[in-house]
Amino acid sequence: MRAFILITLIFLCNDLIAQNLKSGGVLKPEQAIMDIRHYTVALNVDPNEKSINGYTEIDLNLLKPTNNLLFDFWHGLTITQLWVNGKTQTYAHTNDDYIKIPLSQELPAGKVKVRVAYGGKPAIAVRPPWTGGFQWEKDAKGNPWISITCQGEGAKIYFPCKDHPSDEPNEGADMIITVPKGLVVAAPGVLQNVTTKKDKSIYHWKTNYTISNYCILFNIGNYKVVKRIYTTVDGNKVPMEYYVLEENLDKAEHLLDLFEQSCHIQEKYFGEYPWVKEAIRASETPHLGMEHQTNIAYGNKYRYEKLGGKDFDWLLHHEFGHEWWANKVTNRDWAHMWIQEGICTFGDAMATRELAGEEAYLKKMQQTECSRRQEAHRIDFLL
Ligand SMILES: [Zn+2]
């Protein structure tokens, strides 16, 4: 019975998501011979102009010699210069969102470094997190509150990349994000340093783990950081942090209590938290939520339900579950999205089982199956 429900749910998820995807699919020959090693995304963010300006550096390993390089990049942003291994190169930035780089001399197999300088106004999110882009919001005090979502569209909406789920950068990513002084940037991995120059603050974040392109992004806000140390099921100590808007600071400790509760449940069923060398983190966002690795987006506005008499946040638990199913175990292409959505949703039911018991769990699975059947024509409930 349980297996039947899970399989049904997995197939429904699979049908639903494929309609909305713009990354992945059959790899172009120029990209099939690239193994991406690392991304550096360095951008100045201007909340007044709603613009970005800076560069992205792509380190890759070329598996065969080539005369052409090909990257994905949204045509609405403007490239000002491009270098391959330190030399300026000509390129074509096409309306169908590619950067085509014809090389006058064949590039041998091996390490290649491509740097792209660019800027402009990134696309605004139409219906985040389902239809992604940038959100330029304000908090209750009028401070800028900025968020990005791009699971369906791909990271090419704001940085040049090989936009395919099968190729995560093996050595992770650096993000160097400049904001007006007073604002705080949250991004994947570990904060290396914050430097201040005149009226700007520069946040350098770094993750050494492999990471999906759609998780290489940042949130900006008038954040306060509330933290504690979490001890994993295997005894490792990991910083657990919540980047909370100042106006919700009084809610942060209880959210961390629920974060710990969810982490214990996920670890019980799926093993140790995957990113123990970095952090367990959530950031408050103006959209509902997304599984951004080591920095999950939380926008459920502290609307808790009771499970077995205890507070429980389904959104926090679900997005956090994706640290195992989506971030640690990643589909090679979107046709296999059932791996991350199906098993993560099963993990949601495990929380019901732990907190409210076996009967409540069976009921939850039946309800999940029914609601997903009813909503099978829609794609917008998947997160
Ligand atoms: Zn999900």
Side-chain angles (χ1 to χ4, degrees):
M1 180 67 177
R2 280 179 215 168
F4 169 75
I5 293 170
L6 179 61
I7 288 163
T8 307
L9 193 144
I10 281 167
F11 277 102
L12 287 173
C13 287
N14 192 10
D15 287 345
L16 297 168
I17 202 70
Q19 305 164 41
N20 193 33
L21 297 176
K22 296 166 193 162
S23 65
V26 177
L27 273 169
K28 299 270 189 306
E30 298 93 327
Q31 293 195 340
I33 59 168
M34 284 180 189
D35 175 22
I36 300 292
R37 306 303 299 184
H38 186 268
Y39 289 111
T40 300
V41 179
L43 293 170
N44 177 46
V45 180
D46 185 336
N48 289 328
E49 294 293 323
K50 299 182 179 171
S51 67
I52 55 174
N53 185 46
Y55 69 88
T56 288
E57 216 161 64
I58 307 164
D59 288 287
L60 62 95
N61 198 21
L62 202 55
L63 307 177
K64 286 182 186 172
T66 187
N67 287 308
N68 291 288
L69 292 171
L70 180 74
F71 297 98
D72 302 282
F73 190 42
W74 181 55
H75 68 276
L77 293 168
T78 304
I79 300 174
T80 50
Q81 202 169 353
L82 186 150
W83 300 260
V84 175
N85 292 336
K87 282 189 192 165
T88 302
Q89 292 284 337
T90 55
Y91 57 86
H93 190 188
T94 63
N95 281 335
D96 52 353
D97 306 318
Y98 291 111
I99 306 173
K100 296 177 179 174
I101 310 170
L103 300 159
S104 47
Q105 271 192 322
E106 189 179 72
L107 206 55
K111 288 182 180 177
V112 179
K113 187 185 277 290
V114 177
R115 182 180 170 118
V116 184
Y118 62 96
K121 295 189 181 217
I124 306 283
V126 175
R127 199 164 165 267
W130 300 281
T131 308
F134 272 57
Q135 272 180 286
W136 304 91
E137 304 289 339
K138 295 263 166 82
D139 67 15
K141 293 178 180 172
N143 300 300
W145 188 21
I146 301 161
S147 174
I148 310 168
T149 43
C150 58
Q151 187 184 37
E153 296 75 13
K156 63 176 168 287
I157 65 163
Y158 90 105
F159 73 89
C161 52
K162 173 183 171 183
D163 213 4
H164 200 279
S166 64
D167 195 0
E168 297 186 355
N170 306 55
E171 289 140 30
D174 282 56
M175 304 205 78
I176 304 163
I177 306 300
T178 304
V179 290
K181 202 167 141 185
L183 291 175
V184 174
V185 180
V190 176
L191 182 58
Q192 305 295 298
N193 53 58
V194 184
T195 50
T196 302
K197 282 184 188 164
K198 293 183 183 168
D199 56 348
K200 305 275 189 192
S201 296
I202 304 163
Y203 282 75
H204 180 186
W205 286 88
K206 183 181 189 63
T207 180
N208 289 311
Y209 289 116
T210 59
I211 182 169
S212 295
N213 282 4
Y214 73 89
C215 292
I216 304 173
L217 44 72
F218 52 83
N219 309 302
I220 297 170
N222 182 33
Y223 287 126
K224 298 292 169 193
V225 188
V226 180
K227 49 176 99 173
R228 58 180 70 169
I229 298 293
Y230 178 84
T231 304
T232 70
V233 68
D234 292 350
N236 287 302
K237 300 208 180 298
V238 186
M240 177 178 262
E241 302 174 346
Y242 181 41
Y243 277 61
V244 58
L245 289 183
E246 192 174 22
E247 68 206 51
N248 292 322
L249 188 55
D250 60 338
K251 302 180 181 79
E253 282 296 340
H254 190 48
L255 190 100
L256 283 182
D257 292 340
L258 303 188
F259 212 177
E260 277 205 50
Q261 175 179 270
S262 281
C263 198
H264 286 306
I265 294 169
Q266 302 284 9
E267 286 194 314
K268 177 174 175 179
Y269 288 92
F270 303 131
E272 189 181 38
Y273 175 71
W275 321 114
V276 292
K277 292 178 184 165
E278 297 189 349
I280 299 167
R281 185 185 309 111
S283 292
E284 188 163 14
T285 54
H287 61 83
L288 184 55
M290 188 52 73
E291 63 259 24
H292 301 146
Q293 186 172 306
T294 66
N295 185 34
I296 62 167
Y298 174 80
N300 199 29
K301 300 184 189 306
Y302 315 95
R303 291 173 296 204
Y304 306 138
E305 60 188 290
K306 291 283 182 195
L307 277 186
K310 286 185 173 177
D311 279 346
F312 176 73
D313 192 309
W314 71 271
L315 186 278
L316 183 73
H317 185 85
H318 180 84
E319 300 310 332
F320 188 53
H322 280 305
E323 292 284 27
W324 286 258
W325 306 106
N327 297 342
K328 181 182 178 188
V329 179
T330 307
N331 42 248
R332 286 179 64 87
D333 209 345
W334 298 113
H336 301 290
M337 188 92 172
W338 62 270
I339 294 170
Q340 61 189 60
E341 283 308 331
I343 305 176
C344 187
T345 302
F346 185 67
D348 298 347
M350 292 299 98
T352 304
R353 186 174 190 234
E354 285 300 307
L355 298 172
E358 193 71 18
E359 262 187 51
Y361 150 73
L362 288 171
K363 201 170 158 190
K364 162 92 176 164
M365 287 301 283
Q366 282 158 359
Q367 282 171 345
T368 305
E369 185 202 15
C370 290
S371 66
R372 298 240 164 183
R373 274 185 190 283
Q374 284 162 8
E375 305 225 12
H377 61 290
R378 294 171 60 195
I379 56 163
D380 59 0
F381 66 88
L382 286 177
L383 282 164

